[in-house]
Amino acid sequence: MRIDILTIFPPFFDSPLREGIIHRARERGLLDLRVHDLRAWATDRHRVTDDAPYGGGAGMVMKPEPLSAALEQLRTEHPGARTVLLSPQGRVWNQGLVREYGALPGLILVCGRYEGVDERVIATFIDEEVSIGDYVLTGGETAALVVVETVAREVPGVVGQPESVRQDSFFDGLLDHPHYTRPAEFRGRSVPEALLSGDHAAIARWRRREALRQTLRKRPDLLEKAALTPEDRALLERIKAGDADET
Ligand SMILES: C[S@@+](CC[C@H](N)C(=O)[O-])C[C@H]1O[C@@H](n2cnc3c(N)ncnc32)[C@H](O)[C@@H]1O
């Protein structure tokens, strides 16, 4: 998958895109990540990309000319890509959107700064605005990283063990089950017996039950939309009744 990122701060991405899973995916050719300096499309001597807002007031606005030139070029180079502006006014990012984006041939991510982007650029080039939550960041770079990292996990081969993604929170609408590692006893607390049993079916049952319990405890709202089987519903009733212990 190819992802182009348009920013006035390319060095922001240096470390995050050169570490861990993302780095390995790039090395193996699974992810083609290209960070572009918007200033390269500014034509004046000082490579200016912002200007004062019409109507006055605080802050600056990202000028339309460099952005338009950059997006015209990137969209021509990468015709199947979805052009996305990171914006607090966008669709709120969640695992459903991650899955939708993971199936796309590519993305062009536009990182805003200052008060935002001239509205005519949005009208002309932006396919969709995406927000990572109802709060305001200083720039779109942090949000672009969230999009890259989450979408990368959807690309086949990027996460070494695909079953670990299937177990993660939100994959099937539930939170993940609890995890334990050695030692079996730590500060008076033991690892649940089912996990020590070596019985794969018992372990799978324990994990499903505890995923349901975690979700009920921490995010009961998710249960309304989760795809639950009749067995899940029966288990939930037992958990609510205090009739399903955690061992
Ligand atoms: C200071 S913000 C501008 C906010 C804008 N004046 C508004 O209130 O809608 C600067 C840039 O940060 C990015 N940004 C801020 N909050 C964001 C969020 N929640 N999700 C995605 N991008 C965000 C956008 O690219 C935005 O153009």
Short mmCIF file of all heavy atoms in Angstrom, two decimals, residues 5-19 26 34-39 111 113 141-142 145:
data_model
loop_
_atom_site.label_atom_id
_atom_site.label_comp_id
_atom_site.label_asym_id
_atom_site.label_seq_id
_atom_site.Cartn_x
_atom_site.Cartn_y
_atom_site.Cartn_z
N ILE A 5 2.31 11.50 2.45
CA ILE A 5 1.99 12.45 3.52
C ILE A 5 2.51 13.82 3.11
O ILE A 5 3.69 13.96 2.77
CB ILE A 5 2.63 12.02 4.86
CG1 ILE A 5 2.16 10.62 5.25
CG2 ILE A 5 2.32 13.03 5.96
CD1 ILE A 5 2.85 10.05 6.49
N LEU A 6 1.63 14.80 3.16
CA LEU A 6 2.00 16.17 2.77
C LEU A 6 2.03 17.02 4.04
O LEU A 6 1.02 17.12 4.74
CB LEU A 6 0.95 16.68 1.78
CG LEU A 6 1.26 17.96 1.01
CD1 LEU A 6 2.59 17.87 0.26
CD2 LEU A 6 0.12 18.23 0.01
N THR A 7 3.18 17.63 4.31
CA THR A 7 3.38 18.32 5.59
C THR A 7 4.38 19.45 5.42
O THR A 7 5.21 19.41 4.51
CB THR A 7 3.92 17.31 6.64
OG1 THR A 7 4.30 18.01 7.83
CG2 THR A 7 5.14 16.55 6.15
N ILE A 8 4.32 20.43 6.32
CA ILE A 8 5.40 21.43 6.32
C ILE A 8 6.49 21.03 7.30
O ILE A 8 7.49 21.73 7.44
CB ILE A 8 4.90 22.87 6.62
CG1 ILE A 8 4.17 22.95 7.96
CG2 ILE A 8 4.04 23.40 5.47
CD1 ILE A 8 3.93 24.39 8.42
N PHE A 9 6.31 19.91 8.01
CA PHE A 9 7.32 19.44 8.97
C PHE A 9 7.73 17.99 8.71
O PHE A 9 7.48 17.11 9.55
CB PHE A 9 6.80 19.57 10.40
CG PHE A 9 6.59 20.98 10.85
CD1 PHE A 9 5.34 21.40 11.31
CD2 PHE A 9 7.62 21.91 10.82
CE1 PHE A 9 5.14 22.71 11.72
CE2 PHE A 9 7.42 23.22 11.23
CZ PHE A 9 6.18 23.63 11.67
N PRO A 10 8.36 17.70 7.58
CA PRO A 10 8.74 16.30 7.30
C PRO A 10 9.55 15.64 8.41
O PRO A 10 9.33 14.45 8.68
CB PRO A 10 9.55 16.39 6.00
CG PRO A 10 9.13 17.67 5.36
CD PRO A 10 8.78 18.60 6.48
N PRO A 11 10.47 16.34 9.10
CA PRO A 11 11.26 15.65 10.13
C PRO A 11 10.41 15.06 11.26
O PRO A 11 10.86 14.16 11.96
CB PRO A 11 12.19 16.74 10.67
CG PRO A 11 12.26 17.76 9.58
CD PRO A 11 10.90 17.75 8.94
N PHE A 12 9.18 15.58 11.41
CA PHE A 12 8.28 15.05 12.44
C PHE A 12 8.14 13.53 12.31
O PHE A 12 7.98 12.82 13.30
CB PHE A 12 6.91 15.70 12.25
CG PHE A 12 5.87 15.30 13.25
CD1 PHE A 12 5.63 16.07 14.38
CD2 PHE A 12 5.11 14.15 13.07
CE1 PHE A 12 4.67 15.69 15.31
CE2 PHE A 12 4.16 13.76 14.00
CZ PHE A 12 3.94 14.54 15.12
N PHE A 13 8.22 13.02 11.07
CA PHE A 13 7.94 11.60 10.81
C PHE A 13 9.20 10.73 10.87
O PHE A 13 9.09 9.51 10.76
CB PHE A 13 7.27 11.45 9.44
CG PHE A 13 5.91 12.09 9.40
CD1 PHE A 13 5.76 13.40 8.94
CD2 PHE A 13 4.79 11.41 9.84
CE1 PHE A 13 4.51 14.00 8.92
CE2 PHE A 13 3.54 12.00 9.83
CZ PHE A 13 3.40 13.30 9.36
N ASP A 14 10.37 11.36 11.05
CA ASP A 14 11.62 10.61 10.94
C ASP A 14 11.64 9.37 11.82
O ASP A 14 11.85 8.27 11.34
CB ASP A 14 12.82 11.49 11.29
CG ASP A 14 13.16 12.41 10.13
OD1 ASP A 14 12.54 12.25 9.07
OD2 ASP A 14 14.01 13.29 10.31
N SER A 15 11.47 9.57 13.11
CA SER A 15 11.59 8.43 14.02
C SER A 15 10.39 7.49 13.96
O SER A 15 10.57 6.28 13.79
CB SER A 15 11.86 8.95 15.44
OG SER A 15 11.50 7.97 16.35
N PRO A 16 9.14 7.99 14.04
CA PRO A 16 8.02 7.04 14.09
C PRO A 16 7.93 6.12 12.88
O PRO A 16 7.48 4.99 13.01
CB PRO A 16 6.79 7.94 14.16
CG PRO A 16 7.27 9.27 14.57
CD PRO A 16 8.71 9.38 14.21
N LEU A 17 8.34 6.58 11.73
CA LEU A 17 8.21 5.73 10.54
C LEU A 17 9.46 4.89 10.30
O LEU A 17 9.56 4.19 9.32
CB LEU A 17 7.88 6.58 9.30
CG LEU A 17 6.58 7.38 9.38
CD1 LEU A 17 6.29 8.08 8.05
CD2 LEU A 17 5.39 6.50 9.75
N ARG A 18 10.42 5.00 11.21
CA ARG A 18 11.65 4.19 11.07
C ARG A 18 11.82 3.20 12.19
O ARG A 18 12.92 2.73 12.46
CB ARG A 18 12.87 5.12 11.03
CG ARG A 18 12.90 5.88 9.76
CD ARG A 18 14.25 6.40 9.40
NE ARG A 18 14.11 7.16 8.17
CZ ARG A 18 14.58 8.36 7.97
NH1 ARG A 18 15.27 8.96 8.91
NH2 ARG A 18 14.40 8.98 6.84
N GLU A 19 10.74 2.92 12.92
CA GLU A 19 10.82 2.01 14.06
C GLU A 19 9.82 0.86 13.91
O GLU A 19 8.79 1.01 13.27
CB GLU A 19 10.47 2.73 15.38
CG GLU A 19 11.27 3.97 15.68
CD GLU A 19 12.69 3.67 16.11
OE1 GLU A 19 13.00 2.49 16.38
OE2 GLU A 19 13.50 4.62 16.16
N ARG A 26 8.06 -1.42 5.68
CA ARG A 26 8.65 -0.63 4.58
C ARG A 26 9.81 -1.38 3.95
O ARG A 26 9.93 -1.45 2.73
CB ARG A 26 9.16 0.72 5.12
CG ARG A 26 8.05 1.59 5.63
CD ARG A 26 8.59 2.89 6.18
NE ARG A 26 8.79 3.87 5.13
CZ ARG A 26 9.23 5.10 5.36
NH1 ARG A 26 9.54 5.48 6.58
NH2 ARG A 26 9.38 5.93 4.36
N ARG A 34 5.66 7.81 1.72
CA ARG A 34 6.45 8.92 1.17
C ARG A 34 6.03 10.22 1.85
O ARG A 34 4.86 10.60 1.80
CB ARG A 34 6.21 9.04 -0.33
CG ARG A 34 6.48 7.73 -1.05
CD ARG A 34 6.26 7.87 -2.53
NE ARG A 34 6.31 6.54 -3.15
CZ ARG A 34 6.47 6.32 -4.44
NH1 ARG A 34 6.61 7.34 -5.26
NH2 ARG A 34 6.49 5.10 -4.92
N VAL A 35 7.00 10.86 2.50
CA VAL A 35 6.72 12.12 3.20
C VAL A 35 7.19 13.26 2.31
O VAL A 35 8.35 13.28 1.88
CB VAL A 35 7.44 12.14 4.57
CG1 VAL A 35 7.15 13.46 5.29
CG2 VAL A 35 7.00 10.95 5.42
N HIS A 36 6.28 14.20 2.02
CA HIS A 36 6.60 15.30 1.10
C HIS A 36 6.57 16.63 1.84
O HIS A 36 5.64 16.89 2.61
CB HIS A 36 5.56 15.37 -0.02
CG HIS A 36 5.38 14.08 -0.75
ND1 HIS A 36 6.20 13.67 -1.77
CD2 HIS A 36 4.46 13.08 -0.59
CE1 HIS A 36 5.80 12.49 -2.22
NE2 HIS A 36 4.75 12.11 -1.52
N ASP A 37 7.56 17.45 1.56
CA ASP A 37 7.62 18.80 2.14
C ASP A 37 6.78 19.74 1.28
O ASP A 37 7.12 20.00 0.12
CB ASP A 37 9.08 19.26 2.17
CG ASP A 37 9.23 20.58 2.91
OD1 ASP A 37 8.20 21.21 3.23
OD2 ASP A 37 10.38 20.98 3.15
N LEU A 38 5.69 20.24 1.85
CA LEU A 38 4.81 21.14 1.10
C LEU A 38 5.57 22.34 0.54
O LEU A 38 5.23 22.87 -0.53
CB LEU A 38 3.66 21.59 2.01
CG LEU A 38 2.67 22.58 1.41
CD1 LEU A 38 1.94 22.00 0.20
CD2 LEU A 38 1.67 23.04 2.46
N ARG A 39 6.60 22.74 1.25
CA ARG A 39 7.35 23.94 0.80
C ARG A 39 7.99 23.73 -0.57
O ARG A 39 8.30 24.69 -1.27
CB ARG A 39 8.44 24.30 1.82
CG ARG A 39 7.86 24.77 3.13
CD ARG A 39 8.97 25.19 4.10
NE ARG A 39 8.52 25.11 5.47
CZ ARG A 39 7.77 26.00 6.07
NH1 ARG A 39 7.39 27.09 5.43
NH2 ARG A 39 7.38 25.84 7.32
N CYS A 111 -1.65 17.22 6.03
CA CYS A 111 -1.55 17.68 7.41
C CYS A 111 -1.75 19.19 7.45
O CYS A 111 -0.93 19.94 6.90
CB CYS A 111 -0.18 17.35 7.99
SG CYS A 111 0.22 15.60 7.90
N ARG A 113 -2.07 22.91 9.40
CA ARG A 113 -1.41 23.66 10.48
C ARG A 113 -2.15 24.98 10.65
O ARG A 113 -3.05 25.30 9.89
CB ARG A 113 0.06 23.94 10.14
CG ARG A 113 0.97 22.75 10.36
CD ARG A 113 1.54 22.74 11.78
NE ARG A 113 1.94 21.41 12.21
CZ ARG A 113 2.45 21.15 13.41
NH1 ARG A 113 2.61 22.12 14.31
NH2 ARG A 113 2.77 19.93 13.76
N GLU A 141 -0.06 16.32 11.75
CA GLU A 141 0.97 15.28 11.68
C GLU A 141 0.70 14.14 12.67
O GLU A 141 0.84 12.96 12.33
CB GLU A 141 2.36 15.89 11.93
CG GLU A 141 2.91 16.71 10.77
CD GLU A 141 2.29 18.09 10.63
OE1 GLU A 141 1.53 18.51 11.54
OE2 GLU A 141 2.53 18.74 9.61
N THR A 142 0.34 14.49 13.91
CA THR A 142 0.08 13.44 14.90
C THR A 142 -1.09 12.56 14.43
O THR A 142 -1.05 11.33 14.55
CB THR A 142 -0.27 14.07 16.27
OG1 THR A 142 0.72 15.03 16.57
CG2 THR A 142 -0.36 13.05 17.36
N LEU A 145 -0.05 10.17 11.70
CA LEU A 145 0.66 9.00 12.25
C LEU A 145 -0.32 7.95 12.76
O LEU A 145 -0.12 6.75 12.58
CB LEU A 145 1.56 9.42 13.41
CG LEU A 145 2.97 9.84 13.09
CD1 LEU A 145 3.70 10.16 14.38
CD2 LEU A 145 3.70 8.75 12.32
#
